[in-house]
């Protein structure tokens, strides 16, 4: 119980509906966490990893039907369908609540209902917001404790203030005496990840995995936060935040939006290959940005941990991520080695004989099957990242100098180009496209438009969201202090091979961006914006890179872009009258530059 009457009442109401055997208010302490972990080990849900190799770390395998976000079971339940827009699944809020209330009735029988107060963002920050999640999943509790600031201290900050109510159940009540399964959840067609934007509520049912169940992340910090941000004049974005220091010791912060599993975590904590440069990580997935008193846009990372994709994370690709999960980490759906450690494809070592795969069978490397699920994850505390920025918990946030958009595009899109204005930058964000990956259930390798990398994460009509971005530019206290906008593509290919080495060498592109923010760095005007002059990106010491190859990496082919226009027309047509006139004008200008 707390002093907050609304919270007490809300918990009492949901206790009556869900009928748990017990209610536990989480204090967020070490002892509580250990008790929950011990009970999961005792029930067979968790495996404690080898204390010498991976101190205080735990291993989980999910149900094979519950391995990623389920976009076709994710709903925005605004009163009017039009307000959810063409990119979201919509359902009437009254009807959805009726369906779900039936499901929630008695759904926690035989289980404990945990009540978790949590803060998205440093406690007490003006940019932060508080939520309270109830859940019947102890796995969710231990993950939320890493991913958010969770526990009694949040109640102190909350006082009698407002919170975002988040309801979660795995949807698997137990009959008296019924033995629990290792990963309880409901069948896929009974999973519901629902959002009520008008009342800022989240109701999730049937899944225990990632963004479906850790409701602070995608549901709150993106879908509901986009709604709050629009109401209050700020930005809630699917962006990493990094600090970039040049050899003179000068520092700038960059925010970057890429669709899921496009290497955001890798970029957020990369180790530069160019001497004297340093990258430090503020966040790897979400940024909340508000204007500061000086007129600049300031960003916080609302999260406190990394929920990173494990496969292909190695000491070569992302040493800082691997070191972040050296202890105190939860691993889900990776391989489990005979000596009680973890393994995944691309970790940089051979798979030890006898390793158990994510389906709990001995892995046979000759079988052609993967050992770790492609969307297997580590949940690691952000403070454990060796490259964590000293200001990552600064309640005031960090000032953003540049915003990057990007995706996985084997053709057409050059390594980097720069917007000609704020509205042109919004246009770039609105046409982000990428090949799909394993972070979401569905076909992999299809190019889809993913505006602002927010396609599955915008809590209202995406056309209105574009309009909100335009209005941020219009209402900026000082337009000259707005971040510069760039579009990057690390994934351009020739004959099936990547043209650009990526990973740490992306620091070469970051260094160019740093210079551009200072008005330096030579550019060439093209139909899509400013592209670096042939020698503006430092390729010194880059094996296999030649000026000819670099020209291909940076090439802007008008014919390819003319083909892209048809796709953009089709994409924009979806938004009808919700498409801001400023973006229609940007598209028109682009067509004119292309001569069509
Ligand atoms: C994530 C995602 O898990 O974007 O971060 O899917
Ligand atoms: Mn993400």
């Amino acid at each position: 119980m707390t002093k907050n009457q609304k919270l007490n009442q809300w918990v009492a109401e949901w206790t009556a509906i869900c009928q748990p055997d017990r209610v536990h208010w989480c204090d967020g302490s070490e002892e509580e966490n250990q008790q929950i972990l011990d009970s999961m080990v005792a029930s067979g849900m968790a495996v404690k990893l080898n204390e010498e190799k991976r101190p205080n770390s735990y291993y989980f395998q999910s149900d094979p039907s519950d391995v990623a976000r389920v976009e076709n079971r994710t709903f925005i339940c605004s009163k009017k369908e039009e307000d959810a827009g063409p990119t979201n699944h919509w359902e009437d809020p009254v009807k959805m609540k009726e369906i779900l209330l039936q499901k929630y009735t008695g759904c926690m029988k035989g289980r404990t209902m945990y009540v978790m107060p949590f803060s998205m963002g440093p406690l007490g920050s003006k940019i932060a917001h508080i939520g309270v999640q109830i859940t019947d999943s102890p796995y969710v509790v231990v993950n939320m404790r890493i991913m958010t600031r969770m526990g009694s201290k949040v109640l102190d900050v909350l006082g009698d203030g407002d919170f975002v109510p988040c309801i979660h159940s795995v949807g698997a009540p137990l009959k008296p005496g019924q033995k629990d399964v290792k990963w309880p959840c409901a069948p896929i067609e009974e999973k519901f990840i629902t959002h009520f934007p008008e009342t800022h509520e989240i109701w999730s049912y049937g899944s225990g995995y990632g963004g479906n169940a850790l409701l602070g992340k995608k549901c709150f910090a993106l879908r509901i936060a986009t709604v709050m941000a629009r109401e209050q004049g700020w930005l809630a974005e699917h962006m990493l935040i990094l600090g970039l220091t040049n050899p003179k010791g000068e520092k700038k912060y960059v925010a970057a939006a890429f669709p899921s599993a496009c290497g955001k975590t890798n970029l957020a904590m990369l180790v530069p290959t160019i001497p004297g440069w340093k990258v430090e990580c503020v966040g790897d997935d979400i940024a909340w940005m508000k204007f500061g008193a000086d007129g600049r846009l300031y960003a916080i990372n609302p999260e406190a941990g990394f929920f990173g994709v494990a496969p292909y994370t190695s000491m070569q690709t992302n040493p800082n991520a691997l070191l972040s999960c050296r202890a105190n980490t939860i691993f889900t759906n990776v391989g489990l080695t005979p000596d009680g450690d973890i393994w995944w494809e691309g970790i940089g070592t051979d798979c030890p004989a006898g390793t158990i795969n994510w389906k709990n069978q001995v892995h046979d490397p000759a079988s052609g099957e993967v050992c770790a699920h492609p969307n297997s994850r580590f949940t690691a505390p952000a403070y454990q990242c060796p490259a964590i920025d000293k200001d990552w918990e600064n309640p005031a946030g960090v000032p953003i100098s540049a915003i990057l958009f990007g995706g996985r595009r084997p053709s057409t899109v050059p390594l980097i180009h720069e917007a000609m204005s704020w509205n042109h930058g919004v246009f770039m964000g609105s046409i982000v496209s990428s090949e799909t990956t394993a972070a979401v259930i569905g076909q992999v390798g299809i190019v889809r438009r993913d505006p602002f990398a927010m396609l599955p994460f915008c809590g209202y009509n995406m056309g209105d969201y574009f309009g909100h971005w335009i209005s941020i530019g219009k209402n900026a206290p000082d337009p000259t202090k707005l971040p510069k906008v760039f579009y990057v593509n690390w994934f351009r290919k020739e004959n099936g091979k990547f043209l650009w080495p990526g990973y740490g060498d992306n620091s070469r592109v970051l260094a160019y961006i740093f210079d551009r923010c200072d008005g330096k760095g030579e550019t060439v005007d093209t139909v899509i914006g400013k592209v670096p002059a042939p020698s503006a990106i430092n390729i010194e010491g880059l094996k296999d890179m030649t000026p000819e190859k670099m020209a291909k990496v940076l090439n802007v082919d008008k014919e390819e872009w003319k083909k892209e226009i048809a796709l953009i027309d089709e994409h924009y047509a979806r938004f009808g009258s919700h498409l801001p006139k400023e973006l229609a004008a940007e598209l028109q200008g682009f067509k004119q530059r292309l001569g069509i």
Side-chain angles (χ1 to χ4, degrees):
M1 294 284 272
T2 74
K3 289 193 218 103
N4 189 310
Q5 286 316 318
K6 184 185 159 201
L7 176 54
N8 292 338
Q9 218 174 352
W10 177 74
V11 171
E13 199 183 301
W14 281 95
T15 308
I17 296 167
C18 301
Q19 301 162 36
D21 282 10
R22 289 163 298 276
V23 178
H24 176 93
W25 287 74
C26 294
D27 62 17
S29 66
E30 242 355 296
E31 299 71 45
E32 173 186 81
N33 188 50
Q34 196 56 54
Q35 255 172 27
I36 297 174
L37 286 163
D38 290 347
S39 72
M40 284 191 283
V41 172
S43 74
M45 187 181 189
V47 172
K48 178 161 178 21
L49 294 173
N50 185 322
E51 190 58 25
E52 309 260 287
K53 292 181 179 281
R54 201 68 60 174
N56 194 28
S57 296
Y58 292 82
Y59 173 74
F60 292 83
Q61 290 164 341
S62 77
D63 185 270
S65 73
D66 202 21
V67 291
R69 287 185 292 99
V70 280
E71 288 182 9
N72 60 347
R73 306 297 311 157
T74 299
F75 299 88
I76 300 297
C77 305
S78 43
K79 285 189 194 135
K80 287 199 284 183
E81 180 166 6
E82 191 180 349
D83 289 338
T87 58
N88 283 313
H89 298 286
W90 174 83
E91 187 51 85
D92 176 74
V94 176
K95 188 168 158 211
M96 181 57 92
K97 284 195 171 174
E98 250 173 49
I99 296 172
L100 284 178
L101 275 173
Q102 263 187 20
K103 295 201 171 291
Y104 282 127
T105 301
C107 71
M108 296 189 185
K109 278 188 180 157
R111 301 191 183 279
T112 300
M113 180 169 109
Y114 299 91
V115 183
M116 292 182 289
F118 63 94
S119 174
M120 297 312 291
L123 273 172
S125 158
K126 284 206 186 91
I127 314 182
H129 288 276
I130 288 176
V132 183
Q133 178 168 348
I134 59 172
T135 182
D136 52 7
S137 165
Y139 168 84
V140 165
V141 176
V142 294
N143 274 271
M144 282 287 283
R145 186 170 179 271
I146 296 175
M147 293 305 297
T148 71
R149 286 92 177 163
M150 185 274 270
S152 318
K153 52 192 187 294
V154 179
L155 292 178
D156 300 339
V157 176
L158 177 65
D160 56 9
D162 236 354
F163 60 93
V164 171
C166 309
I167 323 270
H168 173 251
S169 170
V170 293
L174 292 167
K175 296 199 181 73
Q178 183 184 344
K179 191 173 159 12
D180 204 0
V181 292
K182 200 171 64 181
W183 184 278
C185 63
I188 193 113
E189 63 287 357
E190 284 179 40
K191 297 189 205 292
F192 290 85
I193 321 301
T194 67
H195 309 74
F196 302 93
E198 280 108 0
T199 49
H200 299 178
E201 292 169 281
I202 300 160
W203 290 19
S204 165
Y205 182 90
S207 167
Y209 202 87
N212 302 331
L214 313 179
L215 301 187
K217 194 173 181 61
K218 304 299 187 182
C219 298
F220 180 172
L222 289 176
R223 296 191 193 100
I224 292 297
T226 50
V227 174
M228 296 164 68
R230 183 187 179 206
E231 290 164 356
Q232 300 161 9
W234 50 282
L235 290 168
E237 300 301 324
H238 191 205
M239 289 181 179
L240 64 88
I241 310 162
L242 63 83
L244 183 61
T245 307
N246 72 5
K248 287 193 212 146
E250 295 159 341
K251 187 165 191 177
K252 295 189 198 301
Y253 288 93
V254 174
F258 299 88
S260 303
C262 278
K264 282 221 316 287
T265 305
N266 291 346
L267 184 63
M269 45 186 91
L270 73 67
V271 180
T273 52
I274 38 175
W277 287 80
K278 192 157 75 178
V279 166
E280 285 157 302
C281 175
V282 177
D284 79 329
D285 197 37
I286 300 175
W288 284 359
M289 298 187 277
K290 280 189 187 166
F291 287 109
D294 62 357
R296 296 189 71 187
L297 208 47
Y298 282 77
I300 60 161
N301 169 13
E303 302 191 279
F306 307 123
F307 184 64
V309 175
Y312 300 95
T313 302
S314 72
M315 285 309 279
Q316 277 67 48
T317 60
N318 191 343
N320 286 319
L322 207 56
L323 294 169
S324 301
C325 47
R326 65 195 175 276
N328 310 312
T329 296
I330 293 167
F331 296 93
T332 310
N333 285 346
V334 301
L336 174 66
T337 65
D339 60 356
D341 200 5
I342 44 83
W343 189 87
W344 52 70
E345 279 72 20
I347 198 170
T349 55
D350 288 338
C351 183
T355 296
I356 304 290
N357 66 18
W358 74 277
K359 291 182 179 162
N360 204 31
Q361 288 150 358
V362 174
H363 178 56
D364 173 8
S367 68
E369 284 202 22
V370 288
C371 178
H373 185 279
N375 192 39
S376 54
R377 300 282 180 145
F378 54 82
T379 319
Y383 67 80
Q384 288 187 179
C385 177
I388 201 72
D389 193 83
K390 70 168 183 15
D391 274 327
W392 84 279
E393 295 203 275
N394 187 336
V398 294
I400 299 297
S401 297
I403 289 177
L404 273 51
F405 297 111
R408 235 172 234 277
R409 286 298 304 266
S411 70
T412 316
V413 184
L415 180 61
I416 178 160
H417 62 291
E418 180 184 327
M420 298 176 280
S421 65
W422 179 260
N423 282 1
H424 184 230
V426 177
F427 172 73
M428 280 177 170
S430 76
I431 61 166
V432 167
S433 59
S434 193
E435 290 181 356
T436 52
T437 68
V440 57
I441 301 267
Q443 214 177 339
V444 170
I446 306 288
V447 171
R448 76 169 180 179
R449 277 299 134 190
D450 191 346
F452 292 79
M454 286 291 277
L455 186 67
F457 305 126
C458 185
Y460 61 100
N461 188 309
M462 183 69 86
D464 296 339
Y465 164 89
F466 296 163
H468 179 54
W469 266 82
I470 297 281
S471 78
I472 287 285
K474 255 190 209 137
N475 301 329
D478 179 350
T480 64
K481 291 184 177 166
L482 280 167
K484 272 184 172 295
V485 180
F486 300 85
Y487 196 115
V488 297
N489 176 26
W490 321 129
F491 301 96
R492 200 167 196 177
K493 283 183 179 172
E494 186 184 54
N495 302 326
K497 280 201 175 145
F498 290 113
L499 280 165
W500 177 252
Y503 298 109
D505 284 314
N506 291 338
S507 57
R508 298 168 188 274
V509 178
L510 292 179
Y512 167 78
I513 290 168
F514 191 105
D515 282 350
R516 290 298 304 142
C517 291
D518 280 340
K520 297 188 211 141
E522 211 190 320
T523 63
V524 177
D525 287 331
T526 76
V527 287
I528 60 168
K530 293 177 191 299
V531 169
S535 59
I537 292 188
N538 173 2
I539 55 169
E540 214 178 291
L542 197 54
K543 234 174 55 204
D544 299 335
M545 187 51 77
T546 58
E548 294 71 40
K549 202 164 163 191
M550 206 53 206
K552 287 183 187 165
V553 173
L554 293 172
N555 186 35
V556 176
D557 180 332
K558 273 192 176 182
E559 294 313 308
E560 281 185 322
W561 280 98
K562 280 185 187 165
K563 284 190 212 137
E564 195 79 5
I565 286 286
L567 303 175
I568 299 171
D569 273 334
E570 201 181 300
H571 167 56
Y572 267 16
R574 297 181 76 191
F575 302 105
S577 63
H578 289 264
L579 185 78
K581 60 179 186 326
E582 291 83 353
L583 289 191
E586 285 297 331
L587 177 57
Q588 197 46 37
F590 186 22
K591 286 180 182 171
Q592 271 163 11
R593 293 194 296 277
L594 283 168
I596 48 178

